[in-house]
Amino acid sequence: MAGTGADPLVRAEHFIWLTARVLEQRRFAHRFLDGDPDPVETALTAYRNEDGGYAHALEPDLRGPVSQPLHTAHALSVLDSIGRCEGLRVERICRYLSDVSTKEGALPALLPLQRGYPAAPFVPLVDDPPAELLATGPIVGLLHRNEVWHAWLFRATDFCWSAVDALEQSHPYEIEAAIAFLEGVPDRTRAERAADRLGRLVRGQRLAVLDPARRAEYPVAPGYAPGEHHFPHDYARTPGSLARRWFTDGELERSLDHLAAEQQEDGGWPVNWRQWAPGTALEGRPLVTLRALETLRSYGRPLG
């Protein structure tokens, strides 16, 4: 058994085998134990619906059998992580995205089909949901980065550009979605200009905790849980991120130190968003743990 004195990766591995869903176990094995990607893809298939979308609590804060854009974005990120964001599966996903898009050709965060099934109270359920950058940006950026070409992308890309250009007051998750879009969109010159402006917005509105030792002095966005702060590493998850230039070396190093120190005694990392049901917190922690390990490894931090 891995004790508290073991290497971070050994402790995280114990946590994953102890608590994670099969999908996260397979993802961990692929990324950190040289495992084959095929079992990851097989595990992901269990969450797919006949309409080409994904459901079944793939995104833990949405429960039930109905496909949702947030589940489908999660599925695409898994496929991207194993280098399989291509082919018939992605074609079916794009058809699903076309079918559920708003009149702007973009995606709402939550379709009203969710009514009657459990969902986090902080995800609003309305009859005619608007298109949102939060739901659309990460998907569009990921598909562009993987050189996926589909008719759905044209209007969705235009929507994301308009939404990013219009940002004046924002919150951390929306900024993360904007960066995910800008990381993959083909117009790199425009993307870099937009990212520079967002960086000034993040610093001006204090949307990143630049000194973890003083995080209580930083505001928490309306509707977020107490202590649901974001740090430089949440925006710049790799050294090559457009958001990396927003922060000094010292600010980023303090952020990574804080991330490394957040590993808990059981080997996993905590969730800091609102915990509204026991199962969602249990399923969310392995996802946060995988992301923490990926971020630390991308910056060359020792894992063991």
Side-chain angles (χ1 to χ4, degrees), residues 43-110:
L44 181 63
T45 300
Y47 296 89
R48 188 178 67 197
N49 281 337
E50 292 184 2
D51 61 7
Y54 288 74
H56 311 287
L58 178 57
E59 187 62 37
D61 282 324
L62 300 178
R63 321 299 288 186
V66 296
S67 298
Q68 290 287 351
L70 293 179
H71 292 307
T72 306
H74 192 135
L76 282 169
S77 72
V78 173
L79 293 172
D80 178 58
S81 73
I82 60 174
R84 295 189 176 177
C85 193
E86 60 185 8
L88 183 59
R89 173 171 284 190
V90 174
E91 173 67 25
R92 289 173 176 165
I93 288 174
C94 288
R95 287 204 298 268
Y96 164 77
L97 298 174
S98 298
D99 290 342
V100 300
S101 288
T102 65
K103 62 181 182 297
E104 297 91 350
L107 299 168
L110 188 64

Side-chain angles (χ1 to χ4, degrees), residues 10-64:
V10 173
R11 294 167 57 201
E13 180 180 358
H14 176 75
F15 171 78
I16 291 292
W17 295 134
L18 179 66
T19 68
R21 304 180 294 190
V22 171
L23 177 58
E24 282 71 56
Q25 291 179 14
R26 294 300 200 179
R27 291 183 66 190
F28 178 87
H30 169 62
R31 299 298 288 172
F32 297 100
L33 303 176
D34 297 322
D36 193 275
D38 286 346
V40 179
E41 192 167 4
T42 298
L44 181 63
T45 300
Y47 296 89
R48 188 178 67 197
N49 281 337
E50 292 184 2
D51 61 7
Y54 288 74
H56 311 287
L58 178 57
E59 187 62 37
D61 282 324
L62 300 178
R63 321 299 288 186

Side-chain angles (χ1 to χ4, degrees), residues 212-261:
R214 303 174 64 182
R215 62 183 177 272
E217 300 176 13
Y218 286 80
V220 174
Y224 285 33
E228 192 176 354
H229 290 106
H230 282 62
F231 298 83
H233 67 262
D234 290 310
Y235 302 106
R237 295 183 184 174
T238 68
S241 170
L242 288 173
R244 172 62 185 89
R245 67 188 69 177
W246 299 353
F247 309 107
T248 68
D249 291 347
E251 289 166 350
L252 186 64
E253 287 303 309
R254 287 194 296 270
S255 180
L256 293 171
D257 288 343
H258 171 74
L259 178 61

Side-chain angles (χ1 to χ4, degrees), residues 115-148:
R115 186 167 280 111
Y117 299 103
F122 47 80
V123 185
L125 180 60
V126 298
D127 288 332
D128 188 20
E132 293 192 23
L133 178 63
L134 189 69
T136 313
I139 290 178
V140 172
L142 186 150
L143 292 175
H144 278 306
R145 192 173 67 250
N146 283 275
E147 299 183 345
V148 173

